[in-house]
Amino acid sequence: MGRLSGHKVHYVDADILVIGGGFGGCGAVYESRYWGRDMKIVLVEKANIERSGAVAHGLSAINCYIGLRTNENSPEDFVRYARGDLMGLVREDLVFDIARHVDATVHKFEEWGLPIMKDEQTGRYLREGRWQIMIHGESYKPIIAEVARKSASLVYNRVMVTHLLMDKRRPDRVAGAVGFSVRDGAFYVFRAKAVIVGAGGASHIYRPRSAGEGMGRTWYAPWSSASAYGLLIPTGAKMIQMENKIVLARFKDGYGPVGAWFLLLKCYATNALGEKYEARRFAEIKALVGRYADLKPMPTCLRNHAMLEEMKAGHGPIYMHTEAVLDTPEKEKIGWEDFLDMTIGQAVVWAAQNIDPRERPSELITSEPYVMGSHATCSGAWASGPEDCAPADYRWGYNRMTTVSGLFGAGDTIGGSAHKFSSGSFTEGRLAGKSAVQYVQDLKEDLPEIDESEVQGLAAKVFRPLDTYRVGRNEIVAGTVAPTYISPLQGLLRLEKLMDEYVGGYTSYYVTNEHLLNRAVELLALLREDLESIGAEDLHQLQRAWELHHRVLTAEAVTRHTLFRQETRWPGYYYRADHPRLNDSAWHVFTASEYNARTGDWHMSKLPVHHIIS
Ligand code: SFD
Ligand code: AMP
């Protein structure tokens, strides 16, 4: 063990390096071990896989389960559903690939100890809705993590990956990654033949509704820090649909999800006047988006749109009528457990505000936007598709490999494939793991090599915020405002404010335009300049600093894509006021970007949307 930039350094060799031990990452480790019996499979995680990622606190439903063995649905049906919900634009090959494999994953989860609710009459899994099943999921993450722990050769917890490393001889091939231990400050250099990124999506890119003392409260986990994108973008990997950020209808203040209420408990929402506004606004929505309004269920963004129009018309608050459906102790139990398993804060809101859901309706509201690839949204990397069903131009190599050779992804990392949720993300990890093993086997003697001088430069860069703080803090005697550095929190608040005000956050009712977006590009450039002078007082703040770097780069991608797509494709997620209509003749396409880290240029393009399922 040597030292770099004054810090201990550990070199770790792996056949396959998995970054992020969430649902995608755990699936990747599990499947890599199955196909790569003798391979060295290393998992690196910034927290502790036992309770890391979006599912840290548990979930109350598995939102992607087809029901193949009970003939409930077909994979083709699922593709039609995901395509409709995304207003026509998904990678049908990727969605199909998940749909045909996801049930096997869920059966494994049950075998590993996850309690899945059963329908007493049919003996089948209890359906929440057509695609969702109910679970007792408080311990969902520890159950999945145990499998990854047993499959991996080594698990490094508390090591945050900051950068990917490229091959010394081939700049379009990955060779590993670097990061640091949040516990002892050691520098880690991972040398790998293939890398699978499962580092999750992003909260806190936009100003959350919960500000001040409630700031940590968001729907997607506050620790989802955009690393899935922040790691990939500097490598030049092609990204798609980064403008497709998601806004969610949620119980107000606690961000409680609505699926179990709408679908299982058959609850309904009204405006303050008691009117069912979605039905009333149908003609108006149809005039706005045409045939997409007829889809069943109505696409998620359009349901948001109806709610937003009501609020703008002064008909708020919007109410979820829990009191109309909680008429048995069983239903009441499901209602409380839904939150206690998944969003405990919402149950706390009920308790703290004396709301008995059997007696009073609860307010609903739309959240701030999040950047993800696994919910009713599909931002992420452009990936090669499965060999048996991907159209020729969707396939250039191994399944789920990005445009960088040897660099794979799963879950929020991979774009174009919406409605994966927890089960689909794990499944995608499995698919990526299987093909990464194949990639490594095919490499034979042609192995990637890291560039030592690059590693040295990165070591200095990664720890620089500690030095910046150590020196800069001498210029102040009290408080947090310093002339020569900004703190990670100051940088985060600045990012959230500018994204909110210029790139369609909640304070502008999600509206933006070309002028606002161009100004956002300028302000983001200034913020990036100031990030060179970020100061970190300890290792925790150093992690916040690098999370912020990942968030800012992701925010820039969101802004560039939003600028590029000159239409309003998903009313209810965001609006281009200067292009207020959906325009299928020009924009029935994916938007793509490639970032050049050397010049700072973004290359934007359109990619075709092929419909392979009728
Ligand atoms: O209803 C680094 N999700 C739901 N999925 C369901 O199936 N059912 C539900 O009921 C769901 N609901 C829900 C959901 C999420 C949340 C927060 C709530 C409610 C409140 C969505 C799923 O959770 C989501 O789709 C998957 O978890 C996505 O998987 P993945 O693998 O893409 O992300 P992850 O699980 O967050 O894991 C990321 C991991 O990476 C680590 N990490 N490690 C090292 N270095 C770095 N730089 C890193 N950056 C990140 C993270 O710590 C983490 O372990 S409902 O509301 O929709
Ligand atoms: P949520 O709890 O809002 O994250 O939603 C969980 C699942 O239910 C997701 O698959 C949603 O797309 C779906 N869902 C939520 N509300 C509705 C609704 N009103 N109609 C149809 N599907 C819904």
Side-chain angles (χ1 to χ4, degrees), residues 58-124:
L59 295 177
S60 60
I62 288 178
N63 284 344
C64 181
Y65 181 75
I66 310 299
L68 295 175
R69 67 180 176 191
T70 40
N71 283 325
E72 290 170 83
N73 295 292
S74 69
E76 289 83 355
D77 292 333
F78 186 74
V79 173
R80 290 183 196 106
Y81 164 61
R83 175 175 67 200
D85 202 46
L86 270 289
M87 307 290 279
L89 313 185
V90 289
R91 275 282 299 269
E92 296 184 14
D93 57 327
L94 301 184
V95 177
F96 181 79
D97 202 21
I98 286 175
R100 64 181 165 178
H101 294 299
V102 72
D103 286 14
T105 288
V106 173
H107 302 157
K108 289 264 173 229
F109 288 175
E110 189 174 35
E111 202 181 305
W112 296 334
L114 179 70
I116 302 184
M117 294 188 201
K118 299 280 165 27
D119 182 322
E120 280 174 15
Q121 261 143 34
T122 62
R124 294 177 181 175

Side-chain angles (χ1 to χ4, degrees), residues 235-393:
T235 69
K238 193 177 276 185
M239 308 299 291
I240 63 161
Q241 303 294 87
M242 296 302 286
E243 75 282 17
N244 179 223
K245 57 224 169 217
I246 185 165
V247 169
L248 294 124
R250 287 292 176 256
F251 280 72
K252 190 167 178 296
D253 297 336
Y255 292 90
V258 296
W261 292 90
F262 277 132
L263 303 177
L264 178 64
L265 295 168
K266 309 283 182 269
C267 210
Y268 59 90
T270 67
N271 62 18
L273 313 173
E275 297 164 339
K276 292 190 176 172
Y277 55 87
E278 244 175 53
R280 188 164 50 69
R281 287 193 179 269
F282 179 76
E284 173 196 320
I285 294 177
K286 176 123 184 156
L288 184 70
V289 296
R291 65 192 168 102
Y292 295 100
D294 296 322
L295 291 163
K296 301 262 179 308
M298 182 185 269
T300 308
C301 62
L302 299 181
R303 296 200 301 269
N304 286 350
H305 174 74
M307 186 189 288
L308 288 169
E309 290 300 302
E310 281 303 304
M311 286 170 24
K312 281 196 259 180
H315 298 163
I318 305 300
Y319 287 121
M320 181 72 111
H321 287 279
T322 59
E323 82 291 357
V325 296
L326 295 188
D327 50 6
T328 65
E330 290 72 35
K331 289 187 189 165
E332 198 193 349
K333 195 170 139 242
I334 286 180
W336 279 93
E337 188 179 336
D338 183 45
F339 292 150
L340 290 171
D341 274 353
M342 171 158 69
T343 321
I344 301 158
Q346 193 64 53
V348 174
V349 170
W350 277 348
Q353 298 182 2
N354 291 336
I355 296 171
D356 182 341
R358 288 173 308 181
E359 288 169 9
R360 277 184 71 172
S362 290
E363 286 177 51
L364 296 184
I365 199 149
T366 50
S367 73
E368 59 281 356
Y370 302 96
V371 188
M372 301 174 63
S374 64
H375 205 278
T377 172
C378 56
S379 302
W382 184 237
S384 185
E387 62 184 4
D388 61 336
C389 64
D393 52 343

